[in-house]
Amino acid sequence: MPAEVLQHAASEMLDWQGSGMSVMEMSHRGQEFGRILEAAEADLRELLSVPANFRILFMQGGGLGENAIVPLNLSRSKTVDFVITGSWSQKSLKEARRYAPTHVVASNEADGHTRLPDATTWQLSQDASYVHLCSNETINGIEVHELPDLKALGSNAPLVIDFSSHVASRPVDWSRVGLAFGGAQKNLGPAGLTLVVVREDLIGHALAICPSAFDYKTVADNHSMYNTPPTFAIYMAGLTFQWLKRQTEGGHQGVAAMEARNIAKAALLYDYIDQSQFYENKVARDCRSRMNVPFFLRDESRNEAFLSGAKAAGLLQLKGHKSVGGMRASLYNAMPLEGVQALVSYMRQFEKTQA
Ligand code: PMP
């Protein structure tokens, strides 16, 4: 979370804009929260340049919830095509199998999830209901830098992206996307809110077994208020959207500014790792994530010393995911360039002391 956003929320925690209430105490049907929700949606639409024929839904259940909710809404009992690029797309596939026939069009498992299968080799189905792609694999550190044009690849199916871990870090090419979903907790706000951006024609085709609260039509028709929405998380996300709109970098504003900053942050860390004999990143250069940088000490017996020294230097949460091991630096939007500079400087110093 950007510190400015936390400070702002703290300043009006007990009394939101003279209303005499905390946001947590408001009725979600009252006009105060109505204003918060409306502003959050409008700001997000502007920030991500969401076209008018897409609906923005504020839901609950997280990315893992959407792994079920998407097939329940979009599969129409037809085959769902999956691109397997790492742990999260594998999880999505496993869940979708409960609701629809699935087909793996490509997988990088044999490469240890270190490179993206070239889109021209994908074995796309003739009549898929949609194609699932995780556009940033948080654990494996793989990012899709250019979304595929499915039409050009011979598929008429809409593309569904799981953009949980890089939403708002870069612009989205909506002409190539039918639906995007993601938990808010990386770049948008606190946990508890799930964002879905869906093209209108994909709404209204849910399977009969789909719970009403997770039917995109019910959610859209009720402006994300069919059931009580996560009001405080939406408020925090709304403050984050305003913060994002204020950001400038190299003549850019908003998400484009974040992209410029994220490119610079990631380059600083990858360049350092690549020139080092001590550290290593195993992901192919053309698909390295700007958000999540998994890296390894070539001598893994020094891992614990690295982590405890990092902690003492105020550099936290660097331990890699248990399925991958090693280290992982997550450079989400709220992480300033100075944070990455501090990490690189610590890594350099650690390397020297171990020589
Ligand atoms: N997809 C991706 C790409 C993720 O990074 C995560 C969470 N780290 C999830 C899905 C699962 O999200 P949640 O915990 O919100 O269900």
Side-chain angles (χ1 to χ4, degrees), residues 61-65 67 88 92 134 136-139 162-165 181-186 194 332:
L64 292 184
N67 280 348
W88 289 111
S92 300
C134 179
N136 187 65
E137 285 280 5
T138 324
I139 292 174
D162 173 357
F163 68 170
S164 294
S165 53
F181 71 83
Q185 65 269 25
K186 270 76 175 181
T194 314
Y332 296 122

Side-chain angles (χ1 to χ4, degrees), residues 278-280 282 294-312 315 317-322 324-328 346-347 350-351 354:
F278 192 82
Y279 304 99
E280 177 185 24
K282 298 177 181 173
F295 64 92
F296 297 85
L297 275 62
R298 286 178 198 261
D299 175 359
E300 298 227 277
S301 70
R302 302 177 199 229
N303 283 0
E304 284 313 311
F306 179 87
L307 284 168
S308 59
K311 191 172 175 198
L315 300 161
Q317 309 198 68
L318 284 167
K319 192 172 175 153
H321 191 270
K322 58 184 184 304
V324 175
M327 309 296 155
R328 177 174 51 161
Y346 167 72
M347 288 168 71
F350 184 80
E351 179 174 354
Q354 303 291 307

Side-chain angles (χ1 to χ4, degrees), residues 22-258:
S22 169
V23 173
M24 281 183 260
E25 297 169 316
M26 290 174 184
S27 160
H28 66 289
R29 307 248 174 239
Q31 19 159 303
E32 292 89 354
F33 182 72
R35 273 163 53 204
I36 291 172
L37 180 71
E38 221 173 89
E41 188 179 325
D43 285 340
L44 182 69
R45 189 174 287 279
E46 183 185 331
L47 267 175
L48 293 184
S49 303
V50 177
N53 64 329
F54 281 70
R55 296 294 300 264
I56 292 174
L57 310 179
F58 293 128
M59 298 182 69
Q60 292 169 82
L64 292 184
E66 292 301 324
N67 280 348
I69 297 169
V70 174
L72 281 166
N73 277 274
L74 263 57
S75 72
R76 308 186 204 189
S77 303
K78 291 195 302 180
T79 299
V80 181
D81 275 354
F82 271 83
V83 188
I84 298 302
T85 50
S87 308
W88 289 111
S89 45
Q90 270 174 332
K91 270 212 159 117
S92 300
L93 168 67
K94 200 167 158 208
E95 185 72 10
R97 278 189 180 137
R98 304 175 62 173
Y99 305 105
T102 56
H103 168 64
V104 173
V105 305
S107 170
N108 64 357
E109 196 168 356
D111 301 312
H113 302 306
T114 54
R115 53 192 71 243
L116 268 186
D118 182 349
T120 58
T121 67
W122 296 0
Q123 305 288 309
L124 294 159
S125 302
Q126 275 309 307
D127 190 28
S129 49
Y130 66 92
V131 179
H132 178 106
L133 176 71
C134 179
S135 48
N136 187 65
E137 285 280 5
T138 324
I139 292 174
N140 307 90
I142 292 184
E143 185 166 5
V144 179
H145 291 297
E146 189 188 351
L147 292 175
D149 178 355
L150 290 183
K151 273 222 162 50
L153 296 169
S155 168
N156 285 318
L159 179 69
V160 169
I161 57 169
D162 173 357
F163 68 170
S164 294
S165 53
H166 71 162
V167 55
S169 71
R170 60 189 302 155
V172 177
D173 181 353
W174 294 106
S175 73
R176 295 187 170 183
V177 173
L179 182 149
F181 71 83
Q185 65 269 25
K186 270 76 175 181
N187 274 340
L188 303 181
L193 166 67
T194 314
L195 172 66
V196 175
V197 182
V198 54
R199 216 172 59 207
E200 265 163 1
D201 61 290
L202 300 175
I203 297 176
H205 310 287
L207 301 178
I209 57 161
C210 180
S212 306
F214 294 149
D215 182 333
Y216 293 141
K217 182 158 168 48
T218 318
V219 182
D221 287 350
N222 290 280
H223 299 278
S224 302
M225 295 241 267
Y226 173 67
N227 61 324
T228 310
T231 51
F232 195 74
I234 291 173
Y235 157 74
M236 292 298 291
L239 293 182
T240 309
F241 301 157
Q242 287 164 17
W243 176 84
L244 281 165
K245 281 172 67 175
R246 290 195 298 273
Q247 300 308 299
T248 55
E249 193 74 46
H252 300 287
Q253 188 142 16
V255 166
M258 293 321 304

Side-chain angles (χ1 to χ4, degrees), residues 280-299:
E280 177 185 24
N281 171 277
K282 298 177 181 173
V283 177
R285 284 173 194 239
D286 64 348
C287 57
R288 284 174 166 180
S289 171
R290 295 171 188 160
M291 295 280 102
N292 311 99
V293 183
F295 64 92
F296 297 85
L297 275 62
R298 286 178 198 261
D299 175 359

